[in-house]
Amino acid sequence: MLKDTMLDRLNEQVNSEIYSAYLYFSMAGYFESVNLKGFANWMEIQAQEELAHSHRLYSYIIDKGERPKMAAIDAPPQDWSSPLDAMQDVYNHECKISEQINECVSLALKESDHSTNTMLQWFVSEQVEEEAAADDIVQKLRLISDNSTGLFLLDNELSKRSLEAD
Ligand code: OFO
């Protein structure tokens, strides 16, 4: 079983992870529309990873004998002014998700809920990677500035991303 406060918080996190997927699918559509198919591929893989994150939380709630409750998913933005604008949004969003995960951990510790704390440690490590991956692309885009050859090469690099088994 889970305490109600912990269950509610984990259900909110399921929602947040699905929103993340929705946001990244929206960004994938944006990148398709400006013919940056490597960026679009990176976003699609990212969106699929977010669905896997939501499923990880969903499965944990089930394993604890509780019922996951699905809430409405907010509509994500649909347009960005540039690839840098979109990737900066990814980085900011991931920082926000890291804060949410930290809040979940703090609640688990406050409630002496050790199994939830252990489950959440995977997310703590994952968020370090999520922030670093987004920041890496932001920094590259800053270096590239308005150099179209650099953008083409980065797009080609991002086209190689594939779904990793965790
Ligand atoms: Fe689920 O890590 Fe991004 O949001």
Side-chain angles (χ1 to χ4, degrees):
M1 69 167 282
L2 288 164
K3 288 193 180 148
D4 285 349
T5 45
M6 195 76 247
L7 176 59
D8 289 349
R9 190 61 200 82
L10 292 177
N11 271 319
E12 283 170 22
Q13 201 58 37
V14 170
N15 185 286
S16 281
E17 301 290 341
I18 295 176
Y19 174 80
S20 297
Y22 218 34
L23 173 64
Y24 297 145
F25 275 128
S26 183
M27 286 183 174
Y30 157 72
F31 280 116
E32 290 283 357
S33 77
V34 293
N35 215 24
L36 287 169
K37 292 190 176 293
F39 280 86
N41 172 66
W42 192 95
M43 286 297 169
E44 267 197 54
I45 300 288
Q46 189 65 27
Q48 288 174 52
E49 283 198 358
E50 298 300 353
L51 292 177
H53 296 173
S54 68
H55 188 253
R56 186 179 275 262
L57 290 161
Y58 168 92
S59 296
Y60 177 76
I61 293 169
I62 298 275
D63 286 348
K64 293 294 284 184
E66 303 289 354
R67 181 165 171 204
K69 293 203 173 140
M70 301 297 112
I73 310 294
D74 289 341
Q78 297 188 349
D79 277 305
W80 289 268
S81 60
S82 66
L84 178 58
D85 183 36
M87 289 309 308
Q88 186 71 57
D89 269 9
V90 174
Y91 177 72
N92 292 338
H93 181 69
E94 288 305 328
C95 290
K96 195 175 105 190
I97 296 290
S98 297
E99 280 175 25
Q100 292 176 356
I101 295 293
N102 286 342
E103 286 165 15
C104 289
V105 171
S106 296
L107 182 61
L109 292 173
K110 185 170 149 243
E111 296 192 344
S112 300
D113 183 343
H114 298 292
S115 63
T116 301
N117 178 40
T118 298
M119 180 276 294
L120 287 169
Q121 291 309 307
W122 182 91
F123 284 90
V124 171
S125 302
E126 176 71 6
Q127 283 310 120
V128 176
E129 285 179 29
E130 297 275 84
E131 287 183 31
D135 189 49
D136 181 59
I137 299 172
V138 167
Q139 298 312 323
K140 283 177 177 161
L141 283 168
R142 288 212 171 110
L143 279 175
I144 287 167
S145 187
D146 55 1
N147 179 318
S148 55
T149 305
L151 188 60
F152 176 80
L153 290 172
L154 181 57
D155 191 58
N156 191 44
E157 180 187 324
L158 298 183
S159 73
K160 299 192 174 95
R161 186 182 184 190
S162 57
L163 204 55
E164 290 167 17
D166 58 61

